[in-house]
Amino acid sequence: MTTSILGKPDYTMEEVQEILEGARSMVPVAVEAYRKINRGAFPPAIKMFEDSALVSGNITRNTPPTNVIIQILEESTRTAGSFRRAAKNLGLDPVVIHMAATSRGGKGESPLDDAEQHMIQGAGIYILRTSVEGEPKFLAEKLQSMGYQISVINAGDGKHRHPTQGRLDLLTLDISGKLKKGMKIGIGGDLKYGRTVHSILSVLKPFEPEVSLVPFGGLELESPYRDGLNIVGEEEGNLELLLDCDVIYLTRVQQKRIAVPTDFDRIQRVYITNLAFLERAKKGCIIMHPGPRRGEISDEIRRDPRLVMSAQAWLGIPERMNEIWIAATQHKPVQGFSRGEVEILSEENKPARTKPGTMTIGSPERGTVIDHLPAGAGDMIKALLRKAGWVNSEQTVPVSDFVDSPGRRCKKDIIVVHGDFISNEAGALITLLAPDATINHIRGDGILTKMKFAPAKGICGLCQCHNGDCITNHDGEAETRFLVRDEKAICYWCETIHNLPALIGK
Ligand code: NCD
């Protein structure tokens, strides 16, 4: 288990069991702490679990002293409150900082500069809620590379992920007896912008749940969050799909994140789970909601025992105690990003002259001929070479549109770079867009080195992420990084999926 908690797409069963084991062990500690400050009372939010073996025990935790900073740059009641309570239950003295009071919020300081101030003051655990996606991951990596021994906990980053909510949801499912292989879970609400949905689904993957999806108002679950799931039903607004589920997980519509908020009132009016709905739901089911609720849960089921929303909120305390305790007792640096080696698939030396008449443009004296580009792709690749600084403006880079390719009976583009050999990195990137491309280095001594590359596995520092909320669009020190999979580029920080030509071509 890494000490920083940043959120990720997949967990192994082993990782999930480790998370659960730690969180379970904190439940009796949190109950004891509650009793101590509430005249011996048992926490009402988990009254239904009072007889569970999980809530009793006589465990104490010795937490080494550490400076816990809880920085809340977006609205928060439950998350901020339970992190604070969790730290206090462990005998720590957390500092809670809200948006308006930060240099980030009022003075336009960069995320990294702002965060570093807490490191200078000796922060050991940095808990961050932010609208900037990928920011916790970026800060964890960057601050650690700057030499700070810091554990970063993502308390929700924009519409991306909310891993600690996913973990407390997991604990709620476990304590409710619903966490089973092949369980049926139905998720209704804002599946597009609801980060808690993204996180609960990733943490549940090892249980291979049958998932029914009921997006509200077109707010559908998108890739990569839906990848690898067993989706057995999916229909906009059809609450009927939730009726045969063991677990119904509802969320509010994230009005703030919707570009055109006019739909909001309609959406909130239409989809309401009420008593009539619950009466038809599967016997023994539970209804979960990360809170806050809006119209999607009616007042009449607010106190229904099937609704475990308050239990979820309370279980955030022991779950977060576990996170803080681990961070305070073990320091493990975050896993870095590997750029991946460039792989040359073939390399041969041949005479440089092409047979007369077969090409409509001449080969340069010394330089690179990029051959076998799909017809029409030349301009985009030319733009890429210029953007990357791999060719300078004095070099002429003609694209010969639609050259007849001898022996292939098709049209192709060719690019000639005068005076320079383009790098292997450029070759691998060009191959991403043009899988048949050959890169020919013409040395000027009559010999040509013809190379084919494996397509690049990543694209770093070249293209801008199209998600305006991505950290790379908010901090100049956040280098853009994309992982390439199935002809798509996934932003390493915010996981937004891009179509390759659209990303590279711009
Ligand atoms: C959620 C969040 O902030 O993403 N709330 C929470 O942390 N309990 C869900 C929401 O705000 O709708």
Side-chain angles (χ1 to χ4, degrees), residues 58-108:
N58 195 9
I59 305 160
T60 49
R61 290 280 185 199
N62 291 324
T63 316
T66 183
N67 184 5
V68 180
I69 305 290
I70 305 172
Q71 191 167 20
I72 301 296
L73 304 177
E74 268 196 328
E75 302 82 349
S76 179
T77 297
R78 292 157 188 79
T79 306
S82 61
F83 265 119
R84 182 172 172 277
R85 186 72 260 152
K88 283 186 162 290
N89 283 356
L90 293 171
L92 301 170
D93 182 20
V95 176
V96 185
I97 303 160
H98 287 275
M99 182 65 171
T102 65
S103 293
R104 273 283 292 280
K107 301 184 187 174

Side-chain angles (χ1 to χ4, degrees), residues 94-143:
V95 176
V96 185
I97 303 160
H98 287 275
M99 182 65 171
T102 65
S103 293
R104 273 283 292 280
K107 301 184 187 174
E109 190 166 31
S110 82
L112 182 58
D113 283 359
D114 180 83
E116 194 184 3
Q117 300 319 303
H118 302 301
M119 308 307 123
I120 289 167
Q121 289 160 21
I125 302 176
Y126 184 44
I127 298 162
L128 178 66
R129 164 160 293 192
T130 172
S131 61
V132 178
E133 295 169 35
E135 184 184 341
K137 194 175 181 180
F138 164 68
L139 291 179
E141 193 182 298
K142 197 79 188 172
L143 293 169

Side-chain angles (χ1 to χ4, degrees), residues 188-189 216 239 250-253 264 267-274 277 287 289-299 301 309:
F216 293 0
L239 295 178
L250 296 169
T251 68
R252 78 183 164 107
V253 171
F264 180 71
I267 295 167
Q268 290 294 181
R269 263 200 320 275
V270 174
Y271 310 106
I272 298 175
T273 45
N274 50 20
F277 169 84
I287 307 220
H289 194 303
R293 79 186 160 117
R294 293 295 301 265
E296 63 286 343
I297 290 183
S298 72
D299 289 343
I301 62 167
M309 201 175 154

Side-chain angles (χ1 to χ4, degrees), residues 12 15 46 167 246 299 319 342-343 364 387 429 446:
T12 62
E15 284 174 316
I46 56 162
R167 289 164 180 235
D246 307 303
D299 289 343
E319 207 299 307
V342 173
E343 195 187 338
K387 186 160 74 177
L429 208 53

Side-chain angles (χ1 to χ4, degrees), residues 5-75:
I5 297 171
L6 305 169
K8 53 182 193 154
D10 297 292
Y11 290 79
T12 62
M13 187 55 108
E14 214 183 355
E15 284 174 316
V16 166
Q17 292 304 351
E18 201 174 334
I19 290 169
L20 269 177
E21 210 175 292
R24 279 190 208 122
S25 75
M26 284 294 180
V27 176
V29 191
V31 170
E32 267 322 292
Y34 185 95
R35 286 191 197 277
K36 217 180 252 171
I37 51 177
N38 290 283
R39 292 170 295 279
F42 186 82
I46 56 162
K47 191 85 187 147
M48 63 278 237
F49 306 127
E50 197 169 357
D51 297 333
S52 161
L54 277 182
V55 301
S56 56
N58 195 9
I59 305 160
T60 49
R61 290 280 185 199
N62 291 324
T63 316
T66 183
N67 184 5
V68 180
I69 305 290
I70 305 172
Q71 191 167 20
I72 301 296
L73 304 177
E74 268 196 328
E75 302 82 349

Side-chain angles (χ1 to χ4, degrees), residues 308-339:
V308 295
M309 201 175 154
S310 303
Q312 279 170 277
W314 190 86
L315 288 166
I317 300 170
E319 207 299 307
R320 286 165 176 146
M321 284 168 72
N322 183 45
E323 293 165 10
I324 293 172
W325 189 76
I326 290 170
T329 51
Q330 319 161 9
H331 177 77
K332 288 191 196 148
V334 287
Q335 295 263 306
F337 172 83
S338 136
R339 280 163 184 266

